[in-house]
Amino acid sequence: MISDVLPDIPRVYTALAEWSAALVYILLIRKRLNAPRLAAAVAVGLAVLVGLQVAAGHFPIALWTLGMMLALAAMYALIYGCAEVSAKDAGYFVARAFVLAELVASLQWQLHTYLFRTGTDAPAVPAGLLLVGIFGVAFVGAFFIERRHFSPTWSLDVDTRGLLSAVAIALITFLTSNLSFVTTSTPFSGQRGTEIFYIRTLVDLAGYVALYAQQGQRLELRRAREVEAMDRLLHSQHEQYLQSRRSMEVVDRKYHDLKHYIAALRAEKDPVARTGYLNQLEDSIRAYGAQVDTGNSVLDAILTARGAQYAEDDVTLTCVADGQALGFMSAVDISALVGNALDNALEAVLAVDDRDRRLVQVAIFAQDGFVIMRFENYFEAQLDFDGDLPRTSKGDRRHHGYGLKNMLQIAESYGGTLTVWAEADWFTVRVLIPRPASS
């Protein structure tokens, strides 16, 4: 038997804790609703949770689990309806919010019973001040603690494994913390009311720490994958640059050889046949002989190679570039910035059915102590932004979508910025980098 039995947490307190915990995570991530609708939805959520908890207090013990499930469903609906999250993301946040709510409610009620030695008939004003103080400090503190793990500009993208892990931690935490209310005949149960409250608070704290550590590990793994993907992308871009240089050398040799062939053909006696052969031969090599000369060999190689690819895909590329303005940048960085931008633009315009609108414009120049790189392309698709950058249109987001991130990282490494916007069927990427004083 449990000696020195203390009153259990009031249902209204539990509902308020669950609502506050859900609100913490809603405020941390991107909102689905505007401010007035968000406020209305949050208010409705509080009313629903209070109503469910009060009603569950009158359920028979056999329906106690049903009451808990209804409360969790209400928390899920509140988070999913207010925050721009997927179904899995919402489930992940519910698991975290539930453990946080259990922890704060248990801590507050433990202090309440310690100070007042009674339940709901405690002095109203001191009890109310204690409730507001503990809930305020705990949930505001949780908000600031969780800010380093969540942001409105990040996409959570919880997979099934991550969701199941969070749910398992929350379930084990809840069952272990409430074990003493079911039976006292286990090594992990308490015998006295104060012991039971202490065990519940301590176990809930351990569960919250475990979920916090799990999210930190998820972020570390995500960053490691992004760094690995960016490294692969950089290596790929550098290899493309080297291949472009080799291809240009081959084309140069063939171009000069073909000029001798043209001279031989001019000796053809039949004027009509000779002119026809010459015209065909010149048309076939014109694209290869037209090299880009910007004053930067790296940029020349990239633009020449991409220009040939654009021509093959029937895409119009217009380029005005001062390659000397990029003299302070490394070959790898130039290759990654320009190569990624041109690859993304090509992929976008190839989705345009009207071939006359497959247009890409590039401008690279120095102005007022800055190097400005501007890449524009016509587009007809719908953009879904993840913070300041558009999300990849490919289904596998883990292995795609790093082109713009890599460009942003390179721009920031030089103290610059990358800006992306879409307007009037044109998609624009602008890179702004300050020029060193020496250049």
Side-chain angles (χ1 to χ4, degrees), residues 96 149 208-218:
R96 298 180 63 88
H149 283 170
Y208 178 75
V209 170
L211 287 170
Y212 184 82
Q214 180 202 25
Q215 178 62 13
Q217 185 181 32
R218 289 186 70 254

Side-chain angles (χ1 to χ4, degrees), residues 4-9 106-114 118 177 180-181 190 192-204:
D4 191 23
V5 176
L6 295 177
D8 200 4
I9 303 174
S106 178
L107 175 63
Q108 187 277 332
W109 195 241
Q110 181 180 347
L111 294 175
H112 176 99
T113 55
Y114 176 80
T118 184
S177 64
S180 298
F181 293 97
R192 296 170 55 85
T194 53
E195 292 178 357
I196 294 174
F197 279 19
Y198 175 73
I199 292 173
R200 178 167 61 182
T201 303
L202 188 62
V203 172
D204 287 338

Side-chain angles (χ1 to χ4, degrees), residues 58 71-72 96 148 168 176 194 221 224 252 254 279 323 331 340 373 377-378 383 385 390 392 403 436:
H58 300 286
L72 287 173
R96 298 180 63 88
R148 66 187 302 267
T176 305
T194 53
L221 292 174
D252 287 343
K254 290 186 176 294
N279 291 336
N340 273 315
M373 288 179 271
N377 63 268
Y378 189 86
L383 292 179
F385 279 81
T392 177

Side-chain angles (χ1 to χ4, degrees), residues 295-418:
N296 185 296
S297 60
V298 177
L299 187 60
D300 293 346
I302 297 169
L303 292 177
T304 299
R306 294 303 195 281
Q309 183 179 0
Y310 273 51
E312 183 178 349
D313 292 328
D314 199 15
V315 176
T316 301
L317 173 64
T318 304
C319 179
V320 178
D322 177 10
Q324 294 181 352
L326 305 180
F328 63 94
M329 297 180 63
S330 70
V332 173
D333 290 340
I334 296 174
S335 176
L337 272 173
V338 180
N340 273 315
L342 293 176
D343 288 345
N344 291 340
L346 178 61
E347 182 178 353
V349 296
L350 287 179
V352 178
D353 294 330
D354 188 352
R355 293 182 179 271
D356 292 335
R357 295 187 177 184
R358 293 182 177 180
L359 307 174
V360 178
Q361 298 177 356
V362 179
I364 301 174
F365 55 94
Q367 180 178 341
D368 297 332
F370 291 89
V371 172
I372 301 174
M373 288 179 271
R374 188 182 179 100
F375 306 91
E376 299 175 302
N377 63 268
Y378 189 86
F379 83 109
E380 297 177 344
Q382 294 293 328
L383 292 179
D384 182 15
F385 279 81
D386 183 7
D388 295 329
L389 299 179
R391 294 178 180 175
T392 177
S393 58
K394 300 182 177 67
D396 186 5
R397 293 183 179 178
R398 289 189 178 185
H399 298 95
H400 296 285
Y402 293 106
L404 283 173
K405 291 181 181 179
N406 192 25
M407 293 173 64
L408 175 61
Q409 186 182 60
I410 294 172
E412 290 179 342
S413 69
Y414 287 92
T417 61
L418 181 142

Side-chain angles (χ1 to χ4, degrees), residues 220-277:
E220 289 298 325
L221 292 174
R222 179 177 178 176
R223 293 189 187 103
R225 286 197 301 267
E226 289 185 355
V227 169
E228 181 183 359
M230 289 183 179
D231 286 342
R232 289 199 303 267
L233 192 58
L234 277 172
H235 181 73
S236 175
Q237 292 291 339
H238 186 58
E239 289 297 323
Q240 289 181 14
Y241 159 68
L242 295 178
Q243 181 61 38
S244 299
R245 289 294 303 233
R246 291 191 291 268
S247 298
M248 284 181 61
E249 293 174 357
V250 172
V251 170
D252 287 343
R253 290 196 300 269
K254 290 186 176 294
Y255 177 69
H256 287 91
D257 291 342
L258 286 172
K259 288 194 297 184
H260 296 293
Y261 299 154
I262 293 174
L265 285 173
R266 291 189 186 278
E268 172 67 38
K269 295 181 180 181
D270 186 350
V272 177
R274 181 181 61 195
T275 302
Y277 294 152

